[in-house]
mmCIF file of all heavy atoms in Angstrom:
data_model
loop_
_atom_site.group_PDB
_atom_site.id
_atom_site.type_symbol
_atom_site.label_atom_id
_atom_site.label_comp_id
_atom_site.label_asym_id
_atom_site.label_seq_id
_atom_site.Cartn_x
_atom_site.Cartn_y
_atom_site.Cartn_z
ATOM 1 N N VAL R 1 8.322 -0.518 4.101
ATOM 2 C CA VAL R 1 7.096 -0.471 3.302
ATOM 3 C C VAL R 1 6.798 -1.853 2.712
ATOM 4 O O VAL R 1 5.630 -2.294 2.667
ATOM 5 C CB VAL R 1 7.209 0.587 2.183
ATOM 6 C CG1 VAL R 1 6.028 0.497 1.224
ATOM 7 C CG2 VAL R 1 7.303 1.986 2.793
ATOM 8 N N GLY R 2 7.837 -2.555 2.285
ATOM 9 C CA GLY R 2 7.647 -3.899 1.746
ATOM 10 C C GLY R 2 7.040 -4.853 2.776
ATOM 11 O O GLY R 2 6.142 -5.644 2.453
ATOM 12 N N LEU R 3 7.512 -4.755 4.022
ATOM 13 C CA LEU R 3 6.953 -5.589 5.094
ATOM 14 C C LEU R 3 5.504 -5.226 5.364
ATOM 15 O O LEU R 3 4.653 -6.098 5.570
ATOM 16 C CB LEU R 3 7.772 -5.415 6.378
ATOM 17 C CG LEU R 3 8.862 -6.434 6.686
ATOM 18 C CD1 LEU R 3 9.461 -6.158 8.065
ATOM 19 C CD2 LEU R 3 8.324 -7.862 6.637
ATOM 20 N N LEU R 4 5.210 -3.935 5.376
ATOM 21 C CA LEU R 4 3.835 -3.487 5.603
ATOM 22 C C LEU R 4 2.917 -3.956 4.469
ATOM 23 O O LEU R 4 1.770 -4.357 4.704
ATOM 24 C CB LEU R 4 3.785 -1.961 5.724
ATOM 25 C CG LEU R 4 4.326 -1.374 7.037
ATOM 26 C CD1 LEU R 4 4.578 0.115 6.889
ATOM 27 C CD2 LEU R 4 3.357 -1.638 8.193
ATOM 28 N N ARG R 5 3.424 -3.903 3.235
ATOM 29 C CA ARG R 5 2.625 -4.348 2.089
ATOM 30 C C ARG R 5 2.329 -5.848 2.195
ATOM 31 O O ARG R 5 1.198 -6.299 1.952
ATOM 32 C CB ARG R 5 3.365 -4.030 0.789
ATOM 33 C CG ARG R 5 2.569 -4.354 -0.461
ATOM 34 C CD ARG R 5 3.321 -3.967 -1.712
ATOM 35 N NE ARG R 5 3.279 -2.521 -1.950
ATOM 36 C CZ ARG R 5 4.340 -1.718 -1.994
ATOM 37 N NH1 ARG R 5 5.558 -2.221 -1.801
ATOM 38 N NH2 ARG R 5 4.209 -0.431 -2.213
ATOM 39 N N LYS R 6 3.349 -6.628 2.593
ATOM 40 C CA LYS R 6 3.164 -8.064 2.776
ATOM 41 C C LYS R 6 2.136 -8.337 3.875
ATOM 42 O O LYS R 6 1.257 -9.203 3.733
ATOM 43 C CB LYS R 6 4.506 -8.725 3.112
ATOM 44 C CG LYS R 6 4.428 -10.236 3.249
ATOM 45 C CD LYS R 6 5.793 -10.806 3.598
ATOM 46 C CE LYS R 6 5.696 -12.324 3.803
ATOM 47 N NZ LYS R 6 6.989 -12.909 4.244
ATOM 48 N N GLN R 7 2.234 -7.589 4.974
ATOM 49 C CA GLN R 7 1.277 -7.744 6.065
ATOM 50 C C GLN R 7 -0.133 -7.382 5.604
ATOM 51 O O GLN R 7 -1.111 -8.038 5.961
ATOM 52 C CB GLN R 7 1.683 -6.857 7.257
ATOM 53 C CG GLN R 7 0.793 -7.013 8.490
ATOM 54 C CD GLN R 7 0.882 -8.393 9.096
ATOM 55 O OE1 GLN R 7 1.969 -8.896 9.351
ATOM 56 N NE2 GLN R 7 -0.272 -9.011 9.320
ATOM 57 N N ALA R 8 -0.237 -6.335 4.790
ATOM 58 C CA ALA R 8 -1.544 -5.913 4.275
ATOM 59 C C ALA R 8 -2.181 -7.001 3.423
ATOM 60 O O ALA R 8 -3.398 -7.209 3.466
ATOM 61 C CB ALA R 8 -1.394 -4.623 3.469
ATOM 62 N N GLN R 9 -1.357 -7.709 2.655
ATOM 63 C CA GLN R 9 -1.876 -8.817 1.849
ATOM 64 C C GLN R 9 -2.414 -9.933 2.741
ATOM 65 O O GLN R 9 -3.475 -10.514 2.481
ATOM 66 C CB GLN R 9 -0.774 -9.349 0.932
ATOM 67 C CG GLN R 9 -0.386 -8.374 -0.186
ATOM 68 C CD GLN R 9 0.883 -8.791 -0.908
ATOM 69 O OE1 GLN R 9 1.629 -9.649 -0.435
ATOM 70 N NE2 GLN R 9 1.141 -8.165 -2.054
ATOM 71 N N GLU R 10 -1.683 -10.220 3.838
ATOM 72 C CA GLU R 10 -2.133 -11.255 4.775
ATOM 73 C C GLU R 10 -3.417 -10.830 5.497
ATOM 74 O O GLU R 10 -4.226 -11.668 5.899
ATOM 75 C CB GLU R 10 -1.030 -11.542 5.800
ATOM 76 C CG GLU R 10 0.210 -12.175 5.208
ATOM 77 C CD GLU R 10 1.338 -12.308 6.214
ATOM 78 O OE1 GLU R 10 1.085 -12.099 7.425
ATOM 79 O OE2 GLU R 10 2.468 -12.626 5.807
ATOM 80 N N ASP R 11 -3.588 -9.511 5.651
ATOM 81 C CA ASP R 11 -4.748 -8.978 6.383
ATOM 82 C C ASP R 11 -5.953 -8.722 5.488
ATOM 83 O O ASP R 11 -6.982 -8.228 5.960
ATOM 84 C CB ASP R 11 -4.367 -7.644 7.063
ATOM 85 C CG ASP R 11 -3.341 -7.825 8.161
ATOM 86 O OD1 ASP R 11 -3.204 -8.952 8.666
ATOM 87 O OD2 ASP R 11 -2.687 -6.822 8.510
ATOM 88 N N SER R 12 -5.840 -9.050 4.198
ATOM 89 C CA SER R 12 -6.851 -8.609 3.229
ATOM 90 C C SER R 12 -8.272 -9.060 3.566
ATOM 91 O O SER R 12 -9.242 -8.406 3.163
ATOM 92 C CB SER R 12 -6.475 -9.089 1.824
ATOM 93 O OG SER R 12 -6.398 -10.514 1.807
ATOM 94 N N SER R 13 -8.404 -10.143 4.309
ATOM 95 C CA SER R 13 -9.743 -10.634 4.639
ATOM 96 C C SER R 13 -10.315 -10.000 5.915
ATOM 97 O O SER R 13 -11.474 -10.240 6.254
ATOM 98 C CB SER R 13 -9.717 -12.158 4.813
ATOM 99 O OG SER R 13 -8.864 -12.512 5.889
ATOM 100 N N LEU R 14 -9.511 -9.209 6.592
ATOM 101 C CA LEU R 14 -9.965 -8.591 7.844
ATOM 102 C C LEU R 14 -10.832 -7.367 7.566
ATOM 103 O O LEU R 14 -10.603 -6.632 6.604
ATOM 104 C CB LEU R 14 -8.770 -8.187 8.703
ATOM 105 C CG LEU R 14 -7.845 -9.322 9.173
ATOM 106 C CD1 LEU R 14 -6.713 -8.754 10.011
ATOM 107 C CD2 LEU R 14 -8.619 -10.372 9.958
ATOM 108 N N ASP R 15 -11.792 -7.138 8.429
ATOM 109 C CA ASP R 15 -12.698 -6.004 8.283
ATOM 110 C C ASP R 15 -11.929 -4.686 8.418
ATOM 111 O O ASP R 15 -11.224 -4.488 9.406
ATOM 112 C CB ASP R 15 -13.792 -6.084 9.357
ATOM 113 C CG ASP R 15 -14.853 -5.019 9.166
ATOM 114 O OD1 ASP R 15 -15.209 -4.739 8.006
ATOM 115 O OD2 ASP R 15 -15.313 -4.460 10.180
ATOM 116 N N GLY R 16 -12.051 -3.834 7.432
ATOM 117 C CA GLY R 16 -11.407 -2.524 7.483
ATOM 118 C C GLY R 16 -9.962 -2.499 7.046
ATOM 119 O O GLY R 16 -9.307 -1.451 7.087
ATOM 120 N N ALA R 17 -9.427 -3.636 6.633
ATOM 121 C CA ALA R 17 -8.023 -3.720 6.224
ATOM 122 C C ALA R 17 -7.720 -2.754 5.073
ATOM 123 O O ALA R 17 -8.549 -2.543 4.200
ATOM 124 C CB ALA R 17 -7.678 -5.140 5.804
ATOM 125 N N VAL R 18 -6.519 -2.188 5.104
ATOM 126 C CA VAL R 18 -6.132 -1.189 4.101
ATOM 127 C C VAL R 18 -5.034 -1.761 3.205
ATOM 128 O O VAL R 18 -3.913 -2.002 3.670
ATOM 129 C CB VAL R 18 -5.619 0.101 4.781
ATOM 130 C CG1 VAL R 18 -5.216 1.127 3.726
ATOM 131 C CG2 VAL R 18 -6.674 0.667 5.717
ATOM 132 N N PRO R 19 -5.290 -2.004 1.928
ATOM 133 C CA PRO R 19 -4.258 -2.522 1.028
ATOM 134 C C PRO R 19 -3.226 -1.443 0.686
ATOM 135 O O PRO R 19 -3.515 -0.247 0.741
ATOM 136 C CB PRO R 19 -5.058 -2.933 -0.211
ATOM 137 C CG PRO R 19 -6.256 -2.025 -0.200
ATOM 138 C CD PRO R 19 -6.587 -1.790 1.252
ATOM 139 N N ILE R 20 -2.025 -1.887 0.339
ATOM 140 C CA ILE R 20 -0.966 -0.964 -0.065
ATOM 141 C C ILE R 20 -0.562 -1.330 -1.492
ATOM 142 O O ILE R 20 0.063 -2.373 -1.725
ATOM 143 C CB ILE R 20 0.254 -1.046 0.870
ATOM 144 C CG1 ILE R 20 -0.157 -0.710 2.309
ATOM 145 C CG2 ILE R 20 1.363 -0.106 0.383
ATOM 146 C CD1 ILE R 20 0.940 -0.909 3.329
ATOM 147 N N PRO R 21 -0.919 -0.521 -2.484
ATOM 148 C CA PRO R 21 -0.617 -0.870 -3.881
ATOM 149 C C PRO R 21 0.875 -0.789 -4.167
ATOM 150 O O PRO R 21 1.638 -0.108 -3.462
ATOM 151 C CB PRO R 21 -1.383 0.200 -4.671
ATOM 152 C CG PRO R 21 -1.499 1.359 -3.732
ATOM 153 C CD PRO R 21 -1.617 0.774 -2.358
ATOM 154 N N LEU R 22 1.290 -1.488 -5.207
ATOM 155 C CA LEU R 22 2.668 -1.382 -5.674
ATOM 156 C C LEU R 22 2.858 -0.054 -6.388
ATOM 157 O O LEU R 22 1.912 0.506 -6.950
ATOM 158 C CB LEU R 22 2.990 -2.526 -6.632
ATOM 159 C CG LEU R 22 3.173 -3.903 -5.985
ATOM 160 C CD1 LEU R 22 3.171 -4.990 -7.066
ATOM 161 C CD2 LEU R 22 4.482 -3.946 -5.191
ATOM 162 N N GLU R 23 4.080 0.422 -6.352
ATOM 163 C CA GLU R 23 4.403 1.693 -7.020
ATOM 164 C C GLU R 23 4.887 1.388 -8.436
ATOM 165 O O GLU R 23 5.813 0.589 -8.624
ATOM 166 C CB GLU R 23 5.498 2.412 -6.225
ATOM 167 C CG GLU R 23 5.755 3.832 -6.652
ATOM 168 C CD GLU R 23 6.906 4.439 -5.843
ATOM 169 O OE1 GLU R 23 7.393 3.784 -4.922
ATOM 170 O OE2 GLU R 23 7.314 5.558 -6.181
ATOM 171 N N SER R 24 4.266 1.982 -9.431
ATOM 172 C CA SER R 24 4.656 1.692 -10.821
ATOM 173 C C SER R 24 5.564 2.768 -11.404
ATOM 174 O O SER R 24 5.969 2.693 -12.556
ATOM 175 C CB SER R 24 3.403 1.556 -11.692
ATOM 176 O OG SER R 24 2.683 2.779 -11.713
ATOM 177 N N GLY R 25 5.873 3.774 -10.612
ATOM 178 C CA GLY R 25 6.810 4.803 -11.046
ATOM 179 C C GLY R 25 6.249 5.787 -12.037
ATOM 180 O O GLY R 25 6.973 6.272 -12.909
ATOM 181 N N SER R 26 4.950 6.089 -11.927
ATOM 182 C CA SER R 26 4.338 6.984 -12.914
ATOM 183 C C SER R 26 4.035 8.367 -12.333
ATOM 184 O O SER R 26 2.971 8.910 -12.553
ATOM 185 C CB SER R 26 3.061 6.347 -13.458
ATOM 186 O OG SER R 26 2.140 6.116 -12.415
ATOM 187 N N GLY R 27 4.965 8.903 -11.557
ATOM 188 C CA GLY R 27 4.839 10.297 -11.166
ATOM 189 C C GLY R 27 4.509 10.556 -9.710
ATOM 190 O O GLY R 27 4.229 9.652 -8.924
ATOM 191 N N GLU R 28 4.548 11.863 -9.398
ATOM 192 C CA GLU R 28 4.382 12.333 -8.024
ATOM 193 C C GLU R 28 3.000 12.004 -7.467
ATOM 194 O O GLU R 28 2.860 11.647 -6.306
ATOM 195 C CB GLU R 28 4.601 13.859 -7.992
ATOM 196 C CG GLU R 28 4.781 14.438 -6.597
ATOM 197 C CD GLU R 28 6.110 14.053 -5.966
ATOM 198 O OE1 GLU R 28 7.064 13.759 -6.712
ATOM 199 O OE2 GLU R 28 6.169 14.038 -4.726
ATOM 200 N N GLU R 29 2.001 12.117 -8.305
ATOM 201 C CA GLU R 29 0.632 11.881 -7.829
ATOM 202 C C GLU R 29 0.440 10.440 -7.369
ATOM 203 O O GLU R 29 -0.169 10.182 -6.334
ATOM 204 C CB GLU R 29 -0.368 12.213 -8.946
ATOM 205 C CG GLU R 29 -1.807 12.219 -8.484
ATOM 206 C CD GLU R 29 -2.752 12.684 -9.580
ATOM 207 O OE1 GLU R 29 -2.417 13.669 -10.292
ATOM 208 O OE2 GLU R 29 -3.818 12.062 -9.723
ATOM 209 N N GLU R 30 1.008 9.519 -8.130
ATOM 210 C CA GLU R 30 0.871 8.109 -7.738
ATOM 211 C C GLU R 30 1.676 7.828 -6.472
ATOM 212 O O GLU R 30 1.244 7.060 -5.608
ATOM 213 C CB GLU R 30 1.346 7.202 -8.864
ATOM 214 C CG GLU R 30 0.866 5.765 -8.654
ATOM 215 C CD GLU R 30 1.906 4.733 -9.049
ATOM 216 O OE1 GLU R 30 3.083 5.085 -9.230
ATOM 217 O OE2 GLU R 30 1.518 3.581 -9.160
ATOM 218 N N LEU R 31 2.850 8.429 -6.356
ATOM 219 C CA LEU R 31 3.665 8.255 -5.153
ATOM 220 C C LEU R 31 2.883 8.694 -3.914
ATOM 221 O O LEU R 31 2.871 7.999 -2.890
ATOM 222 C CB LEU R 31 4.960 9.057 -5.270
ATOM 223 C CG LEU R 31 5.854 9.090 -4.017
ATOM 224 C CD1 LEU R 31 6.271 7.685 -3.614
ATOM 225 C CD2 LEU R 31 7.077 9.974 -4.257
ATOM 226 N N GLU R 32 2.211 9.848 -4.035
ATOM 227 C CA GLU R 32 1.404 10.342 -2.908
ATOM 228 C C GLU R 32 0.282 9.360 -2.572
ATOM 229 O O GLU R 32 -0.052 9.166 -1.392
ATOM 230 C CB GLU R 32 0.817 11.722 -3.231
ATOM 231 C CG GLU R 32 1.794 12.869 -3.026
ATOM 232 C CD GLU R 32 2.234 12.997 -1.572
ATOM 233 O OE1 GLU R 32 1.359 13.042 -0.682
ATOM 234 O OE2 GLU R 32 3.455 13.021 -1.319
ATOM 235 N N ARG R 33 -0.274 8.746 -3.581
ATOM 236 C CA ARG R 33 -1.360 7.784 -3.365
ATOM 237 C C ARG R 33 -0.851 6.562 -2.590
ATOM 238 O O ARG R 33 -1.512 6.065 -1.683
ATOM 239 C CB ARG R 33 -1.933 7.354 -4.714
ATOM 240 C CG ARG R 33 -3.152 6.447 -4.621
ATOM 241 C CD ARG R 33 -3.779 6.246 -6.002
ATOM 242 N NE ARG R 33 -2.863 5.609 -6.935
ATOM 243 C CZ ARG R 33 -2.707 4.289 -7.057
ATOM 244 N NH1 ARG R 33 -3.432 3.476 -6.306
ATOM 245 N NH2 ARG R 33 -1.866 3.790 -7.938
ATOM 246 N N VAL R 34 0.354 6.085 -2.953
ATOM 247 C CA VAL R 34 0.933 4.927 -2.268
ATOM 248 C C VAL R 34 1.291 5.294 -0.827
ATOM 249 O O VAL R 34 1.016 4.535 0.109
ATOM 250 C CB VAL R 34 2.172 4.404 -3.023
ATOM 251 C CG1 VAL R 34 2.827 3.270 -2.235
ATOM 252 C CG2 VAL R 34 1.787 3.933 -4.412
ATOM 253 N N ILE R 35 1.911 6.458 -0.659
ATOM 254 C CA ILE R 35 2.278 6.898 0.695
ATOM 255 C C ILE R 35 1.040 7.024 1.569
ATOM 256 O O ILE R 35 1.026 6.601 2.732
ATOM 257 C CB ILE R 35 3.069 8.228 0.640
ATOM 258 C CG1 ILE R 35 4.478 7.980 0.101
ATOM 259 C CG2 ILE R 35 3.131 8.883 2.027
ATOM 260 C CD1 ILE R 35 5.311 9.234 -0.085
ATOM 261 N N GLN R 36 -0.029 7.587 1.013
ATOM 262 C CA GLN R 36 -1.265 7.732 1.786
ATOM 263 C C GLN R 36 -1.828 6.365 2.182
ATOM 264 O O GLN R 36 -2.353 6.201 3.286
ATOM 265 C CB GLN R 36 -2.310 8.513 0.991
ATOM 266 C CG GLN R 36 -3.569 8.852 1.788
ATOM 267 C CD GLN R 36 -3.267 9.693 3.018
ATOM 268 O OE1 GLN R 36 -2.625 10.744 2.925
ATOM 269 N NE2 GLN R 36 -3.720 9.238 4.184
ATOM 270 N N ALA R 37 -1.684 5.380 1.299
ATOM 271 C CA ALA R 37 -2.145 4.024 1.628
ATOM 272 C C ALA R 37 -1.343 3.441 2.790
ATOM 273 O O ALA R 37 -1.903 2.788 3.681
ATOM 274 C CB ALA R 37 -2.032 3.125 0.401
ATOM 275 N N VAL R 38 -0.031 3.697 2.792
ATOM 276 C CA VAL R 38 0.806 3.229 3.905
ATOM 277 C C VAL R 38 0.379 3.919 5.202
ATOM 278 O O VAL R 38 0.230 3.269 6.249
ATOM 279 C CB VAL R 38 2.305 3.491 3.625
ATOM 280 C CG1 VAL R 38 3.147 3.059 4.827
ATOM 281 C CG2 VAL R 38 2.765 2.764 2.366
#
């Protein structure tokens, strides 16, 4: 996931690129949001 997040940052200027947010540890709902981004 860390590698994918780094790649997403490098791809940020590409059309349609999907960012992967950092996980702040604030519960199941946020975890699902991060997983869905991956």
Side-chain angles (χ1 to χ4, degrees):
V1 171
L3 264 185
L4 286 164
R5 185 178 283 119
K6 183 181 177 184
Q7 184 65 51
Q9 291 169 346
E10 294 174 11
D11 293 340
S12 60
S13 62
L14 298 180
D15 186 39
V18 180
I20 301 174
L22 286 167
E23 190 183 355
S24 63
S26 60
E28 194 71 25
E29 189 174 318
E30 196 219 14
L31 174 59
E32 279 297 309
R33 185 171 61 86
V34 175
I35 288 176
Q36 187 60 53
V38 177

